Amino acid sequence: MVKKMTKKQRAAEIVKLLAQHYEASCSLVAQKDYELLFATRLSAQCTDARVNIVTAELFSRWPTLQSIADADLEDLMETVKTCGLFRTKATDIKKCANVLLASYDGKVPDDLEELLKLPGVGRKTANLILGDLYGKPAIVADTHCIRISGRLGLTDSKDPYQVELQLKKIIAPAEQNDFCHRLVHFGRDICTARSPKCTECFLSDLCPSVGK
């Protein structure tokens, strides 16, 4: 039986319980602002574990933003090939490096609209950068976030933008970024895409989808 409370109250309780079980950590390894940006671009339809293997070679071979901008595109493609969609991803990374140098003094911008102007950068990537690099309120509507927030009854859409907007209304701004990171860990651990472990779930009293 799901506890009776408003959606905002339920969201706050979920945020609290997730914080008790998981660290709010990004799985992608990056030392510089542009490294996180490019790692996030590579993570589309690819596991973070694979991305970390690829970026270790990528950022070792081309250790500066300028060197990435000047890199041979075929070499870049070959390096990121195992991430999938490698032609598009490599092209976006090279173009993005050039744009950052030409228009942003080599610095990743801290504004959503400016981030969305960068080649290959969508709202998911932009929000992760805003939250992780700049500590701004941001909802990263990735597959875990969309699936789990829907199951928990916090959202009623599978469209990433709509999920982002709905969660922003009920998750406290200071909690938004950490909430999304914890959902990733929770989604891998308990609320998996197939066969979620409802009987082991510490959110079962707050979830209308238990056992369904």
Side-chain angles (χ1 to χ4, degrees):
M1 186 82 176
V2 178
K3 293 180 181 178
K4 287 188 177 181
M5 54 181 73
T6 68
K7 189 177 288 189
K8 200 165 187 176
Q9 289 172 331
R10 200 150 46 85
E13 189 68 15
I14 289 168
V15 165
K16 184 176 75 172
L17 289 171
L18 284 170
Q20 291 173 5
H21 287 80
Y22 299 105
E23 291 293 324
S25 58
C26 179
S27 300
L28 296 170
V29 176
Q31 304 299 322
K32 303 170 184 175
D33 58 356
Y34 70 83
E35 289 184 356
L36 182 60
L37 180 67
F38 296 162
T40 306
R41 178 66 189 96
L42 290 171
S43 70
Q45 298 181 42
C46 182
T47 66
D48 289 352
R50 167 55 55 185
V51 171
N52 288 335
I53 293 171
V54 169
T55 53
E57 179 183 353
L58 176 67
F59 299 139
S60 173
R61 189 170 177 186
W62 295 283
T64 66
L65 190 59
Q66 186 66 61
S67 65
I68 294 174
D70 295 337
D72 179 79
L73 183 56
E74 292 297 326
D75 285 347
L76 273 181
M77 288 181 182
E78 189 61 33
T79 300
V80 305
K81 192 170 187 176
T82 58
C83 285
L85 304 172
F86 64 94
R87 292 183 179 85
T88 301
K89 290 178 179 180
T91 300
D92 284 343
I93 286 171
K94 182 174 170 65
K95 284 182 178 178
C96 192
N98 279 284
V99 171
L100 289 174
L101 289 164
S103 303
Y104 298 96
D105 296 320
K107 184 74 176 171
V108 175
D110 63 353
D111 175 79
L112 179 65
E113 296 308 318
E114 293 301 315
L115 284 165
L116 292 175
K117 293 178 184 178
L118 298 174
V121 174
R123 293 189 72 88
K124 185 181 84 169
T125 297
N127 277 311
L128 186 139
I129 293 299
L130 289 178
D132 275 32
L133 281 184
Y134 299 112
K136 295 187 175 184
I139 294 291
V140 179
D142 61 9
T143 55
H144 292 290
C145 179
I146 294 168
R147 178 180 77 253
I148 297 167
S149 61
R151 285 177 177 172
L152 290 169
L154 300 180
T155 59
D156 59 10
S157 175
K158 292 185 179 180
D159 175 71
Y161 181 55
Q162 291 304 316
V163 170
E164 178 189 336
L165 294 182
Q166 289 179 25
L167 289 177
K168 279 187 173 181
K169 291 180 180 177
I170 59 174
I171 304 291
E175 301 288 352
Q176 291 175 6
N177 191 54
D178 288 350
F179 168 75
C180 293
H181 279 315
R182 290 181 176 120
L183 282 189
V184 174
H185 298 300
F186 177 64
R188 291 170 178 166
D189 185 28
I190 293 175
C191 199
T192 53
R194 295 182 180 181
S195 304
K197 303 169 185 174
C198 295
T199 56
E200 302 174 26
C201 183
F202 56 87
L203 297 180
S204 58
D205 289 345
L206 298 163
C207 182
S209 302
V210 170
K212 294 182 181 178

